[in-house]
Amino acid sequence: MNQIKKLLIIGFVWPEPNSSAAGRRMMQLISIFKQNGFEITFASPALDSDFMVDLSEFGVKKVSIELNNSSFDDFIIELNPDVVLFDRFMIEEQFGWRVSENCPKAIRLLDTEDLHCLRTARQKAFKENRAFELLDLLSEEVAKREVASILRCDLSFIISEFEMKILNEVFKINSDLLYYLPFLVYEMSELDLLKLPLFEERKNFVFIGNFLHEPNWNTVQYLKETIWPLIKKQFPEAILEVFGAYPSQKVLQLHQPKNGFFIMGRAENANEIVKKSRIVLAPIRFGAGLKGKLLEAMQCGTPSITSAIGSEAMHANLPWNGFITDDVELFAKKAVELYHDENLWKQSQKNGVAIVNECYQLSKYSTALVTKINSLLNDSENHRLHNFMGSLLQHHTLKSTKYMAKWIEAKNKN
């Protein structure tokens, strides 16, 4: 009889699947591990939120932990997990050294969510009104921290093939340390498509995204100031509904019903809203990873118009479920055309289903993922032997985060 394996997930925040793609991603991972017999504990230093999921409903134990506190050492020694999954590199910085000291045999996994250094460098280039170049990454402070975190871990989940390429070719990271793992969803059938609202049953344009995420706020500004006036000029009756968790006052101030621009706030059920909408607009100008809102649009049978960055690494070589353009005039023209042309709309919808089934199949990735982790559990010593840079970064002379944490802990006691 196989011994039950223990997984500890250390979360940056408590999962909020109805608030963000990151929350949905975490629940996907929990589901895969749970289905493969792992006993899961989810720990986080974050405060509870009104919208976090009830982990107990999924058979997951919830534990609150503290930053810069040796109480975590006692906790992890007692738990003695086989596998530890860090949610983003900042969490690995805080707790990775404690895991490696107190549970040295535990496999250390990192879910990057997206490459933070890519998002940061693109945002910086955007604000400086210049084109982003891959070489920008090499001078990015966040990149040094993020790559160090990847090297310290046994395996890192990378959500985008473009980001896999960056890590391989720009940062020269060994492929054995990287694991491509996109969003994972169930296959869509013709029957699923028939169950969705029809073209004539849908109305309005929609944008949806968590406003704590800077690219989403920037996108809404761009829509309001630049793209929406062009759409309204061609289609005066057009209405755009903007949904998103945690809207600030600056977001709410964009609400302008007389111009067909509605700030709707948090979506109770994002899926239902997107299903009832005719077109998703997402002219994203900077960011990284995969865009959960665009995959969700495909699952809801809702065509979308987005930018090159919005669609990056999302559709292999398959035709998009709508249009991709960075030209504002063309964006507005295609938005109106797609809204009114039923045949074009239906073909775009079918394109989305093809992308979902080709690129994001749960069955295609979940078994292989567990097989990979089991192989690490069986051969971690050999795997780590070939990761010299990782062992170098575990050396005491390079553990600045460890000694900073100890200094903060001592200071707090005084």
Side-chain angles (χ1 to χ4, degrees), residues 107 166 198 201 229 232 238 269 309 328 339 351 374 412:
I107 297 300
I166 285 173
L198 301 172
E201 295 172 331
K232 287 292 279 185
N269 188 326
I309 283 179
V328 291
Y339 192 94
N351 291 349
N374 283 333
N412 288 342

Side-chain angles (χ1 to χ4, degrees), residues 137-344:
L137 293 167
L138 297 176
S139 58
E140 186 57 55
E141 186 66 29
V142 174
K144 297 176 177 67
R145 294 170 55 198
E146 193 163 21
V147 169
S149 182
I150 288 169
L151 288 169
R152 284 191 296 264
C153 289
D154 296 307
L155 196 69
S156 292
F157 301 154
I158 312 301
I159 205 166
S160 153
E161 288 181 313
F162 179 64
E163 294 178 4
M164 287 284 282
K165 188 176 179 183
I166 285 173
L167 292 167
N168 282 144
E169 297 179 7
V170 178
F171 295 114
K172 313 296 183 188
I173 294 178
N174 186 335
S175 297
D176 289 343
L177 300 178
L178 308 174
Y179 194 87
Y180 174 58
L181 194 69
F183 291 126
L184 303 176
V185 298
Y186 291 106
E187 184 177 5
M188 288 184 73
S189 66
E190 286 291 326
L191 187 61
D192 292 324
L193 204 53
L194 292 171
K195 290 177 183 175
L196 295 169
L198 301 172
F199 174 83
E200 60 270 17
E201 295 172 331
R202 297 168 179 248
K203 62 179 183 178
N204 302 340
F205 296 95
V206 70
F207 173 84
I208 196 158
N210 187 325
F211 286 109
L212 296 179
H213 193 55
E214 182 65 23
N216 287 335
W217 158 237
N218 181 269
T219 299
V220 173
Q221 277 184 301
Y222 189 42
L223 277 167
K224 178 71 165 62
E225 295 165 8
T226 306
I227 292 173
W228 192 241
L230 297 173
I231 291 175
K232 287 292 279 185
K233 190 175 179 182
Q234 299 172 57
F235 180 19
E237 299 81 25
I239 289 174
L240 171 62
E241 294 180 319
V242 176
F243 289 87
Y246 304 106
S248 63
Q249 190 56 40
K250 64 183 180 182
V251 176
L252 297 173
Q253 285 175 349
L254 297 181
H255 184 65
Q256 196 174 34
K258 66 178 182 181
N259 196 32
F261 199 94
F262 292 81
I263 301 295
M264 309 296 288
R266 175 181 287 274
E268 289 301 318
N269 188 326
N271 210 262
E272 287 303 311
I273 286 162
V274 177
K275 279 180 186 176
K276 291 173 183 174
S277 303
R278 194 173 285 181
I279 309 287
V280 168
L281 301 180
I284 299 161
R285 292 191 284 182
F286 56 85
L290 301 181
K291 312 303 178 285
K293 62 179 69 62
L294 295 177
L295 175 58
E296 183 177 48
M298 295 176 203
Q299 290 179 283
C300 293
T302 310
S304 65
I305 304 179
T306 190
S307 59
I309 283 179
S311 65
E312 181 180 88
M314 284 205 67
H315 60 118
N317 294 316
L318 298 171
W320 189 249
N321 73 320
F323 294 98
I324 300 166
T325 179
D326 292 320
D327 181 280
V328 291
E329 297 281 351
L330 187 59
F331 192 104
K333 179 175 179 288
K334 290 299 183 184
V336 176
E337 182 184 345
L338 190 55
Y339 192 94
H340 289 107
D341 189 331
E342 184 173 356
N343 289 330
L344 181 61

Side-chain angles (χ1 to χ4, degrees), residues 387-401:
N387 180 16
F388 179 76
M389 293 305 293
S391 62
L392 177 71
L393 289 168
Q394 295 285 4
H395 194 267
H396 67 90
T397 56
L398 289 172
K399 285 192 172 178
S400 60
T401 49

